[in-house]
Amino acid sequence: MKVLVIGGGAREHAICASLAKSVRITELHCAPGNAGIAEIARIADVSASNISNLKYYVKQQGIDLTIVGPEQPLCEGIVDSFRADKLRIFGPTKRAAELEGSKIFSKELMKKYGIPTARFEVLDSAQRALEVLEAFELPVVVKADGLAGGKGAVICKTRDDAEKTIHGMMEDRMFGSAGERVVIEEFLEGTEISLFALVDKYTVAPLIPARDYKRVRDGDEGPNTGGMGSFAWIHLLDSKTMKKIEEEILVRTVLALRAEGITYNGVIFYGLMLTRRGPMVLEYNCRFGDPETQVVLPLIRNDLLDLFEATIENKLTDVDLDFSEQAGVCVVLASEGYPGDYLKGRTVIGLDNPLGDDVYVFHAGTKKLGDKVVTTGGRVLSVCALGDSIEAARKKVYENVDVIHFDGVHYRTDIAAGVKS
Ligand code: AMP
Ligand code: GLY
């Protein structure tokens, strides 16, 4: 089979690395990929957001199956467009992707079907938003309805912050039309969990629970980023909590979608908060998470191609998921300045050092320049390791982080610190 993966981050590198182990794949392609992906897949010089060019490439190359990494093409309807031409593709339709594409859609779905989530109001004018704000305690969360590159949820500690955020989104249009309408919601306290599930017409199959670290600096200080690290472990949640999540959140969400006439085929990323009131949904995403995927996929023993095909063909019921008992830890190496404006073009050294057993380096913002690898993005590399405990994986990952270098590199030193396994 010829398979195309769409995207060019460390998440897509991890997806490609797992697929590359499948004996049924004769050609693996990636659009647009990066320097790391280029070692294991054919690079297609096509942007991940150009649906018509992607479709042209798939037809021209005779690709049998396409896997979509990022949310944007999904929310823009790439799956509908491919299906209309009978091209096989993994991911939800445009309507199903609203789960991520519209916070209002997802919050109203949760409310209607009794899926636990933060109390909220939907607002379509700044004036109303400012009035409603009074009814919420601080801190309060203001969210743009549409896609905002992971920056659309703002936790406001003061009324002044909240007012500024509302003005910024609704009047100054800091996120364009994505902020035309907003959700104001109560702040939830607790432990955050990322849980992916493969979903088809009949089955919801949760993968390995994970946690990500969004703030740029140790101790959860500094601004939010696309993710500075993560860990995953099958025993992260006790069986009672897992059962509650499955019943009240995972299955209920899919049944709710079905009741609305939507069949979801793909992965649902459940962003959860374990609160004193029980597990609650913070958000849904219609795709795999980054950097959680980098540690979840290496812990799955099944052939990833089988899982993707079963999901598309509504045959997940027949699949026996086989997970490793090991833990995985991922540390992101970022460019100087990130998550603000950052510097590019720095040479990465140390990538040729042999990696230890169960250590993976997934590329994000890199490209080849002659025989050198140089930085092109804010998040440059995901260094990941598996171990028999979270502590063991953590130790191994930091040993490997130390041998890779580029000028201005920064990373968190407290990923998975203090987590018991
Ligand atoms: P979202 O864009 O909805 O995923 O939110 C991004 C991040 O903001 C989440 O991963 C949480 O860390 C945080 N967050 C979102 N909503 C809430 C909430 N209601 N209470 C506390 N934290 C939240
Ligand atoms: N790790 C969070 C995300 O991918 O949105």
Side-chain angles (χ1 to χ4, degrees), residues 5 9-21 34 37 40 291-298 304 360-363 382 384:
V5 174
R11 167 183 55 200
E12 287 77 17
H13 192 180
I15 293 172
C16 286
S18 283
L19 287 174
K21 290 188 276 185
N34 58 42
I37 294 174
I40 53 173
E292 294 94 327
T293 301
Q294 291 90 305
V295 277
V296 169
L297 293 188
L304 190 61
Y360 311 89
V361 176
F362 297 122
H363 290 226
S382 283
C384 309

Side-chain angles (χ1 to χ4, degrees), residues 140-407:
V140 62
V141 187
V142 180
K143 295 183 174 182
D145 174 43
L147 292 182
K151 298 196 178 76
V154 183
I155 296 166
C156 306
K157 293 204 174 102
T158 64
R159 301 230 170 258
D160 195 44
D161 275 356
E163 284 170 20
K164 284 201 182 106
T165 304
I166 289 167
H167 282 299
M169 286 182 186
M170 304 188 83
E171 281 166 353
D172 303 340
R173 298 288 172 101
M174 61 196 283
F175 301 124
S177 60
E180 241 167 58
R181 297 196 293 162
V182 302
V183 170
I184 298 183
E185 70 177 33
E186 84 183 296
F187 177 78
L188 298 177
E189 254 176 293
T191 304
E192 239 182 289
I193 296 287
S194 304
L195 187 58
F196 307 155
L198 295 174
V199 175
D200 70 7
K201 204 166 169 183
Y202 310 109
T203 309
V204 184
L207 303 179
I208 300 164
R211 192 172 301 160
D212 77 343
Y213 291 73
K214 292 197 170 75
R215 299 298 187 104
V216 71
R217 281 192 294 279
D218 284 6
D220 283 331
E221 300 284 339
N224 264 330
T225 68
M228 293 299 288
S230 59
F231 67 87
W233 188 41
I234 189 63
H235 301 299
L236 189 58
L237 298 170
D238 61 70
S239 56
K240 207 174 127 207
T241 307
M242 192 61 203
K243 188 160 182 279
K244 204 169 159 67
I245 291 173
E246 288 203 46
E247 284 173 10
E248 292 179 10
I249 296 176
L250 304 191
V251 173
R252 215 176 272 177
T253 299
V254 176
L255 293 179
L257 287 170
R258 193 178 305 162
E260 296 293 313
I262 298 169
T263 305
Y264 196 106
N265 290 84
V267 63
I268 299 182
F269 169 148
Y270 295 83
L272 307 175
M273 188 72 97
L274 306 181
T275 74
R276 275 190 304 184
R277 288 182 274 162
M280 301 177 92
V281 178
L282 287 174
E283 59 154 349
Y284 297 110
N285 294 311
C286 61
R287 48 152 179 98
F288 284 104
D290 189 339
E292 294 94 327
T293 301
Q294 291 90 305
V295 277
V296 169
L297 293 188
L299 293 169
I300 298 178
R301 297 209 191 96
N302 304 71
D303 182 326
L304 190 61
L305 180 64
D306 289 346
L307 300 187
F308 287 151
E309 289 200 294
T311 307
I312 294 176
E313 290 161 9
N314 296 309
K315 288 185 179 155
L316 272 176
T317 325
D318 301 338
V319 168
D320 278 322
L321 284 167
D322 183 10
F323 300 138
S324 165
E325 297 270 327
Q326 286 189 303
V329 175
C330 165
V331 174
V332 170
L333 307 195
S335 292
E336 184 172 352
Y338 178 81
D341 290 339
Y342 52 82
L343 296 157
K344 299 182 193 177
R346 300 274 167 86
T347 302
V348 184
I349 56 171
L351 288 173
D352 294 336
N353 290 319
L355 298 171
D357 281 346
D358 287 338
V359 179
Y360 311 89
V361 176
F362 297 122
H363 290 226
T366 65
K367 73 168 185 201
K368 265 236 139 101
L369 204 65
D371 55 4
K372 289 191 303 193
V373 171
V374 298
T375 65
T376 57
R379 290 189 298 165
V380 178
L381 299 165
S382 283
V383 183
C384 309
L386 309 184
D388 290 337
S389 63
I390 291 178
E391 195 46 49
R394 175 178 147 71
K395 187 163 170 281
K396 208 190 284 182
V397 86
Y398 278 109
E399 283 164 8
N400 284 276
V401 162
D402 286 342
V403 302
I404 299 169
H405 184 76
F406 49 90
D407 280 351

Side-chain angles (χ1 to χ4, degrees), residues 129-146:
L130 295 171
E131 284 164 26
V132 161
L133 189 60
E134 302 298 318
F136 284 85
E137 282 174 30
L138 293 170
V140 62
V141 187
V142 180
K143 295 183 174 182
D145 174 43

